[in-house]
Amino acid sequence: MLTLGIESSCDETSVAIVKDGREVLSNIIASQIDVHKKYGGVVPEIASRKHVEAISQVIDEAFTEANISYDDIDIICATRGPGLIGALLVGLSAGRTMAYALDKPFVGVNHMMGHICANYISNKELEPPFICLVVSGGHTYLLDVKDYTEFKLIGRTLDDAAGEAYDKISRVLGLGYPGGPEIEKAARNGKDIYDYPRVMINDGYDFSFSGLKTAVINHLHNLEQKNETYRIEDVARSFQDAVIDVLVEKTIRLTVERNLDKIVLSGGVSANGELRRRMEEAAKEHGYKVYYPEKILCTDNAAMIASAGYYDYKTGNYENNVTAKPNLGLENS
């Protein structure tokens, strides 16, 4: 079964064709990072216009790379949320139009479920149940994934997501956008010498990164006011360790509690090498296996949307007539 996926929730215009939810025939990504970098973040109106400019060409490239025709497609799907409303509408409009013209079923996909399904592409042997940590620019979730479209939300961020905190601290340190790769790079040459708070590390399974972000910014302001110097690398390392300590501790604790033996990482922050290393190190002590996608599938892409759309269709967990939902999350999917 061939699924066409379209992703346009933020600043990547992506179209992919995936076989049986796991085999990628094509995955074309037109990134806008260079466009938004000078603004220090994504400008919604510019993002929407760039999606309109790119979508037709990206669709054509996806079919060319997969070496198939429109008639070969069985399912068409697109991201319905969460994301920027204007950006979402571009992908949804393209997907629904194609589905109508080709008389194919259309599936509106939850972008966050797509991040989870990226793991089925990179890890062909992976099957539920497992504990999943979703860490991205806008969301941080801990999930008990019971089946391909069935899960229980256990913990979520109460304020800032981990990726959002990375971006903010990166800007404050003058490292640029996107912040995740820049912080990780700087942290490799730094030492954890600043005792930044591990917020809520022992309090349930919800997350909070706003206090950590504020603590780092206030610390830097105090140093500057006293004319004291600091190494950017040390701040980056101390900040990153504070984030990872919380993510690893809560994930391992939940896996023990649920008596499972598989941990899945997903979302843009799951590309972080130190997070992967620390999670594997902690999991090994319990005999757990850790899974994560290839780095190209950690960030926004249409292959993961096609995979999620395939499993939604197979289980009948979808609606044809869907609208864009910019605030859609896993708690209200």
Side-chain angles (χ1 to χ4, degrees), residues 44-304:
E45 178 61 24
I46 294 175
S48 301
R49 293 179 183 179
K50 290 297 180 182
H51 285 306
V52 173
E53 293 172 7
I55 188 68
S56 295
Q57 180 180 344
V58 175
I59 290 173
D60 288 342
E61 289 181 20
F63 277 96
T64 299
E65 184 172 296
N67 194 28
I68 63 170
S69 70
Y70 286 174
D71 290 336
D72 294 323
I73 294 297
D74 298 294
I75 313 162
I76 295 174
C77 59
T79 303
R80 64 186 176 111
L84 305 173
I85 181 64
L88 288 167
L89 287 171
V90 175
L92 271 178
S93 298
R96 292 181 64 177
T97 300
M98 289 185 69
Y100 179 80
L102 298 172
D103 193 25
K104 304 290 185 180
F106 178 77
V107 180
V109 173
N110 186 317
H111 179 84
M112 307 313 297
M113 284 300 295
H115 276 303
I116 298 171
C117 289
N119 280 278
Y120 300 135
I121 297 171
S122 294
N123 306 286
K124 300 294 191 289
E125 75 283 8
L126 176 63
E127 294 180 353
F130 51 75
I131 295 299
C132 184
L133 173 68
V134 184
V135 271
S136 69
H139 300 82
T140 305
Y141 291 115
L142 255 182
L143 304 164
D144 182 350
V145 178
K146 301 178 182 298
D147 209 337
Y148 288 102
T149 61
E150 181 186 356
F151 61 88
K152 184 173 182 180
L153 177 61
I154 307 299
R156 54 172 296 193
T157 182
L158 302 179
D159 41 55
D160 296 346
E164 182 181 349
Y166 266 87
D167 284 340
K168 180 63 176 180
I169 298 304
S170 180
R171 285 198 295 271
V172 171
L173 292 174
L175 295 176
Y177 173 86
E182 298 299 329
I183 290 285
E184 181 184 6
K185 182 180 178 181
R188 292 192 193 110
N189 299 310
K191 298 180 180 179
D192 183 11
I193 61 174
Y194 300 118
D195 187 23
Y196 295 139
R198 274 61 173 166
V199 181
M200 297 180 66
I201 191 168
N202 296 313
D203 299 334
Y205 291 112
D206 286 330
F207 300 92
S208 171
F209 295 103
S210 177
L212 168 61
K213 184 179 70 175
T214 301
V216 175
I217 293 172
N218 287 343
H219 175 233
L220 295 178
H221 287 167
N222 288 336
L223 291 176
E224 289 164 0
Q225 288 170 0
K226 296 176 182 177
N227 291 320
E228 296 182 15
T229 60
Y230 59 86
R231 294 180 69 245
I232 289 175
E233 293 83 356
D234 293 337
V235 175
R237 172 66 184 275
S238 299
F239 162 77
Q240 178 168 267
D241 279 8
V243 173
I244 292 177
D245 281 352
V246 175
L247 295 176
V248 171
E249 166 63 27
K250 288 178 181 278
T251 303
I252 294 295
R253 192 192 324 146
L254 180 61
T255 309
V256 172
E257 180 184 296
R258 295 296 164 120
N259 195 29
L260 294 172
D261 60 0
K262 289 179 285 190
I263 294 171
V264 168
L265 305 180
S266 62
V269 182
S270 70
N272 184 288
E274 184 65 10
L275 172 60
R276 294 180 176 194
R277 186 190 69 78
R278 290 275 304 280
M279 190 69 76
E280 288 181 328
E281 186 179 78
K284 187 177 180 180
E285 296 179 6
H286 297 270
Y288 301 154
K289 174 73 174 175
V290 178
Y291 298 86
Y292 39 76
E294 302 164 57
K295 289 195 175 183
I296 190 65
L297 297 179
C298 291
T299 52
D300 295 348
N301 67 91
M304 70 183 196

